[in-house]
Structures are given as structure tokens and as C-alpha cells.
Amino acid sequence: MGSIADPGGEFDDLTPSSPPPPPPSSFDEFQRQTSLMTSCTLLWKELSDHFSYLEQNLLKKSEALKNKFKTLDNQTKETLQVLEKREVTIEGSVSIFLGKMEERKEAALAVAAVNGGGDAGEVDDGEGLLLKLRSYCTKMNAEGFWRFVTARKKELDSMRAQMAVALADCVDPARFVLEAISEVFPVDKRAEKSEGVNDLGWACVLILESLIPLVVDPILGKSRLLVTPSMKEQAKDIAETWKASLDERGGIENVKTPDVHTFLQHLVTFGIVKKEDIDLYRKLVVGSAWRKQMPKLAVSLGLGDKMPDMIEELISRGQQVDAVHFTFEVGLEDKFPPVPLLKAFLKDAKKAATSIMEDPNNSGRSVHLAARKEQSALRAVIKCIEEYKLEAEFPPENLKKRLEQLEKAKIEKKRPAAVPANKRTRANNGGPMPPAKAGRSTNAYVSSFPAAPQFVRSPSHTQYPAGVPMYPSSPAMYGSRSPPTNPYAYSPEAASPPFSHSYQVAPINYPPYGGYGNGVAPAYQHAYY
């Protein structure tokens, strides 16, 4: 019986002649499984951390959105309440304003009927000044009002106290003020200008400041100004005209401080501050920061959040006293301590005075200029200490003593030198003349020797001269001696001591301050440094 052939050879491996392959090692399989489990575990942990991070991030964003929605809802409610209040109070405010307008109109007609259009009487006191101002305001005579105010700068304090009262008699105070200052703002229209009368910014600022109490809402206050839309548009046009004229004035860096002050006060008075012009306002404020009203104007212009940067810029410019004023206006005394700033200002003033002394171009007036520089710095610091009650941190006694020394030295320098009454001086060389009757007497004796001078000064030490009379006299020369070629060898200015030697004033025993062990400050290094 024959065998069946295997067509595909499928059962060749099952033949007894070829044994089956050996089974895989159990240890290798265990390692493979272990590695696979470790990889799966790490991957699971990574995915789990990633999804946890995404979940936390979504929760934070969701919470932030909820807070924003809540804040917006609160702001919306507050805004709606404000709008509702403004809408409700409009009628009452307008009624009050119209009542005042009617009163002013009747007062103007009464004054016109009584005075026949003439001006008020002479100004002899505060009451007369008020009557004169009210006369112009009642008749809406803006030109006469402007002439009257600008001619009385010496009565500035009295006018500041009475200006708002007088402007209250105007039928339209906003229009009256714009017409009054139109001669010099936004562009000076005067035909003739001179240095003595060119600055009328003080009058513009005074009038604009006095208008504020009259245009604020009687119910809502400064948050709503009672200025008609036409007057507000006119005020905006004036502001744009002033900005357009900056190039003609030499740019922001060269514009005059009175013009800057008037422009900024104009914006605040009429409530026409623009957010897009904040950088312009900042530059103008910093450039005129020495004005007393600038810190308050800066806050009213919306520069409160930029105050730290502005204060740092003032400090870098050496205007530490101005920086102190800005600091107290916004309550940043902790961030910018005032006492170190004031001491740094005094040091800078000392260095500037020393540089004036060393400048050869100021050799004739160096002592005077240096002393004036130090006096100005001392007065500014003393005033700042008293204004902000800093006496406990920075006692001003030593500063006041030093200021008294400088003022005393200035007075003594101006005092003329004493000349004996029984001697006459020769005009050509400053030497003493013979007695009045010497020419008539036959045995009159005139010495041919020069008179002994009061002091001897070496020309090689002219940098540190001693105290001399204002016009030093040469020794008397008679007989065959010829007069000196240069009787004024030393100028009066050079006779004064330099700044670094205390101007020939008596030393002061300072209290133990600033690290001096014996309690006496050297003449060059003062106790307040």
C-alpha cells in the first residue's frame, strides 16, 4: 500500500527527524513584561499630571472670568446709579443755575440803570476793589475787567480773595472769562510787547482759578461742570490752538512757564483733559515743576499714576525740593523720604557754588553769585521743612544760622569804608592830601615818605584775599615820587573772600551734629551736609 504524498510540505516539521524548537526563557519574558509595565506607569503619570495642570488652569481662568464679570456688574450698577442720579439732578441743577442767571441779569440791569453805564468809583480799599470788580462783571465788560486786573498785580492777594465773588455777578461767567483772557491766550495779540509787561500769565491763572467754584454743579460738585456746550467747544478750540502754536514758541522745551501754567489751568477749569495728550501734559508739568500749583494740577490732569516716574525724573534733574512737593501731594513719603532729598539738594547747591567760584569768567562776581546760590538753596529747604513739619527729622537751626551769616556778610560788604574826617584824599592816586592851610604856611611840613598801609597783600595770593575796603587806597606819595601806575590793582569784587572760606564771617559753634567730635563744624564743610 503506497503512502499519500504531502503536496505542500506542511507536515515536514512534525516528522520525528526534526525536533520542536525550545520554549522561550521565563526570565527574559519577565523582564520584558516588567519594562513594559514601567513604561506604561510613567506614561500614565505624565498624562495624569498634564490633565491635572489643564484642569487647574481652566479652574483659575474660570475664577478670573467670574471675578471680572462680578467687577463689571458692580461697575455697571454704579455707573447706572450715577447716571440715574445725574439725570434726576439735572433738572434741579438747571433750575438753580437759571435762578442765579436771572438774579445776575436783574443786578446788571439795575447797575446799568443807576450808573448810566459808567464805571464804579475809585478803589481805596478792599471793599472798593470788590465793588469795581463786580461793576465790570455785572456789565459783562470783559475788556475793562482785564485792564483793571492786569494793572494791579501788587493787589494780587486781595483780588484772589474777591475774584470769585465778583465773577458770580456775570450773566455767563465762562464766556466772560474766555473773552477777558483772549488778548494773551491762547496767542498773545498785543501789538507792542516788552520784557516788563510781557508776562501776564499770573492774571490768566488767577481768573481761571476763580471761575472753578462758579461752574461746578451745586449737587454733584466737580464731577459735572455747568458749562454750556458752545463754551466747552470754544475752550477745546482754544486748547488746540495753543498746542498748534508750540512749534512757534520753540517746542515744549522752550515754552515759557506762565504760558504752560495758563494752558494746564485752562484744561482743568473747563474739564477738557484728553487721555491721548497725557504724555504732553507730563512733559509740560515736569518742565515747570517749580511752580507751586503744579503738583495739584498734575493730579487734576490725571497724572497720579505717573507720579513716581515724574518724581524720579525731578530727582535726576537736581530738583529735589520740587520732588518733595510732588511726593507729599500724592502721599509717597515712604517711597521717597524727604529729608535725604533736601540734604542732597543742599550738597548739589554747594557744588554749584564752588563751580561758580572756580569759573574764570565770573572772577569779578564769583563771590556774590556763589553766596546768592547758597542763600537761595537754604531758603527753599527751610521753607520746605516748615511747610511739611520736618523739624524733628531735620532741625533747621544750623541752616538759619548759616543764612544769617551770609546775609550779614552781604550787608557788611555793601557798607562803605570809614574815612577819617580830618584827612582829604587826593583824586589822582588816592593818597592823603596835605592840611588845608599847608600851602599858606611858610614852615608847613609835608612828609615825603609814604603812609604805612593797614595791611600787606601779596599779589601771588589774590585767590585768597583778606578783607579790604571797597575801593583800596594806594600809599601816599609826595615829593619826587611818582604815583602808582595802577591805583586800583585789586578789584572790589576780588577783595571779597571766596565761597569756600565762609565769606569772612565769624565762625559759629555748631551743636554736635553730622559727626564732629568737638561740636564745631569746619568753615568749608558745614554742619547741614
Side-chain angles (χ1 to χ4, degrees):
M1 183 174 180
S3 62
I4 301 173
D6 185 5
E10 296 178 0
F11 300 100
D12 290 344
D13 294 339
L14 299 178
T15 59
S17 60
S18 59
S25 175
S26 60
F27 182 73
D28 294 340
E29 180 66 18
F30 175 75
Q31 282 187 333
R32 190 178 68 81
Q33 295 293 337
T34 303
S35 177
L36 183 60
M37 291 293 293
T38 303
S39 300
C40 290
T41 303
L42 294 175
L43 182 60
W44 174 261
K45 187 176 184 303
E46 183 178 355
L47 291 173
S48 177
D49 293 341
H50 177 67
F51 283 111
S52 298
Y53 171 76
L54 292 177
E55 184 179 5
Q56 292 178 0
N57 193 19
L58 289 174
L59 289 175
K60 289 181 180 179
K61 290 183 178 180
S62 177
E63 189 68 23
L65 288 174
K66 289 181 180 179
N67 292 334
K68 287 184 178 180
F69 280 122
K70 186 176 180 180
T71 303
L72 289 174
D73 290 339
N74 293 334
Q75 291 179 353
T76 303
K77 290 180 181 179
E78 292 177 359
T79 304
L80 291 175
Q81 291 177 357
V82 171
L83 290 176
E84 185 179 358
K85 183 178 180 181
R86 290 172 66 89
E87 185 178 1
V88 171
T89 56
I90 284 177
E91 185 177 354
S93 299
V94 171
S95 299
I96 295 173
F97 191 73
L98 290 177
K100 291 182 178 180
M101 291 282 291
E102 190 65 26
E103 293 177 0
R104 294 167 186 170
K105 180 180 177 181
E106 293 177 359
L109 293 175
V111 170
V114 172
N115 295 336
D119 293 336
E122 295 294 331
V123 177
D124 54 355
D125 53 10
E127 184 177 355
L129 177 64
L130 177 60
L131 291 176
K132 190 74 173 180
L133 291 172
R134 295 184 71 172
S135 174
Y136 288 116
C137 294
T138 303
K139 293 177 290 185
M140 292 290 288
N141 185 359
E143 183 178 355
F145 176 84
W146 173 255
R147 300 282 182 235
F148 180 81
V149 172
T150 55
R152 284 167 173 78
K153 187 175 182 180
K154 294 182 179 180
E155 304 175 37
L156 182 60
D157 294 335
S158 299
M159 286 194 295
R160 179 176 286 109
Q162 299 170 350
M163 183 74 69
V165 179
L167 290 176
D169 293 339
C170 294
V171 176
D172 190 349
R175 182 186 298 275
F176 181 81
V177 167
L178 291 180
E179 292 178 357
I181 66 177
S182 61
E183 185 176 2
V184 295
F185 181 79
V187 180
D188 197 340
K189 303 181 181 67
R190 291 175 293 173
E192 297 181 1
K193 303 176 185 178
S194 62
E195 295 296 333
V197 298
N198 195 31
D199 178 17
L200 293 179
W202 63 270
C204 297
V205 172
L206 172 63
I207 297 173
L208 288 169
E209 286 179 342
S210 302
L211 177 63
I212 294 178
L214 305 177
V215 296
V216 297
D217 190 278
I219 299 176
L220 297 180
K222 294 182 179 179
S223 61
R224 182 169 64 192
L225 300 179
L226 296 179
V227 180
T228 59
S230 60
M231 287 296 99
K232 199 161 189 175
E233 288 298 323
Q234 184 176 344
K236 290 180 180 179
D237 293 340
I238 290 174
E240 294 299 325
T241 302
W242 189 90
K243 288 191 297 182
S245 67
L246 277 178
D247 294 336
E248 299 178 1
R249 301 169 187 263
I252 297 176
E253 295 79 10
N254 298 319
V255 65
K256 295 181 180 180
T257 297
D259 296 338
V260 172
H261 195 174
T262 303
F263 171 69
L264 298 179
Q265 187 62 57
H266 174 79
L267 298 177
V268 173
T269 299
F270 288 94
I272 52 176
V273 177
K274 290 185 176 181
K275 293 183 179 180
E276 55 268 26
D277 291 338
I278 288 295
D279 291 336
L280 172 63
Y281 304 155
R282 181 187 183 281
K283 293 178 181 178
L284 293 175
V285 169
V286 172
S288 304
W290 56 272
R291 281 276 175 135
K292 183 179 180 181
Q293 298 93 334
M294 280 299 159
K296 293 185 180 298
L297 278 178
V299 175
S300 300
L301 291 168
L303 297 174
D305 56 340
K306 297 183 180 293
M307 278 293 194
D309 296 336
M310 295 170 63
I311 293 173
E312 290 179 355
E313 184 174 352
L314 291 174
I315 294 173
S316 65
R317 291 186 174 196
Q319 299 176 242
Q320 291 90 343
V321 173
D322 299 330
V324 170
H325 293 309
F326 278 77
T327 298
F328 277 94
E329 182 64 30
V330 293
L332 294 176
E333 303 93 314
D334 295 336
K335 186 175 182 180
F336 301 97
V339 173
L341 292 178
L342 296 179
K343 291 183 178 181
F345 178 75
L346 290 175
K347 276 190 176 181
D348 292 346
K350 178 69 174 181
K351 292 178 182 178
T354 303
S355 65
I356 292 174
M357 293 292 302
E358 296 174 353
D359 187 0
N361 297 326
N362 294 328
S363 58
R365 303 180 57 197
S366 59
V367 175
H368 171 70
L369 294 176
R372 189 170 65 179
K373 179 71 175 178
E374 188 179 5
Q375 283 178 310
S376 176
L378 289 171
R379 291 193 185 98
V381 172
I382 291 172
K383 184 177 180 181
C384 195
I385 292 173
E386 294 175 350
E387 182 176 357
Y388 298 112
K389 311 298 181 183
L390 300 175
E391 291 85 355
E393 302 177 51
F394 194 3
E397 286 74 16
N398 292 337
L399 306 182
K400 293 180 180 180
K401 289 180 181 179
R402 177 60 182 163
L403 183 60
E404 291 177 0
Q405 281 184 336
L406 294 174
E407 292 176 349
K408 184 178 179 182
K410 182 178 179 181
I411 295 174
E412 290 179 354
K413 183 178 179 181
K414 289 183 178 181
R415 187 178 301 167
V419 179
N422 58 349
K423 289 186 179 181
R424 294 183 297 160
T425 57
R426 188 182 297 273
N428 57 356
N429 59 6
M433 291 281 291
K437 298 182 180 180
R440 304 178 187 175
S441 176
T442 57
N443 57 357
Y445 173 76
V446 178
S447 174
S448 61
F449 293 93
Q454 295 180 346
F455 58 88
V456 178
R457 180 174 59 183
S458 174
S460 62
H461 295 82
T462 54
Q463 186 177 0
Y464 303 97
V468 295
M470 184 164 293
Y471 295 97
S473 301
S474 301
M477 299 291 181
Y478 295 98
S480 61
R481 296 174 182 250
S482 60
T485 58
N486 187 7
Y488 299 97
Y490 304 98
S491 63
E493 291 82 5
S496 302
F499 178 79
S500 60
H501 288 267
S502 300
Y503 312 104
Q504 295 292 333
V505 295
I508 287 184
N509 292 330
Y510 290 87
Y513 180 78
Y516 302 110
N518 57 0
V520 180
Y524 183 83
Q525 188 175 4
H526 301 295
Y528 52 78
Y529 297 123

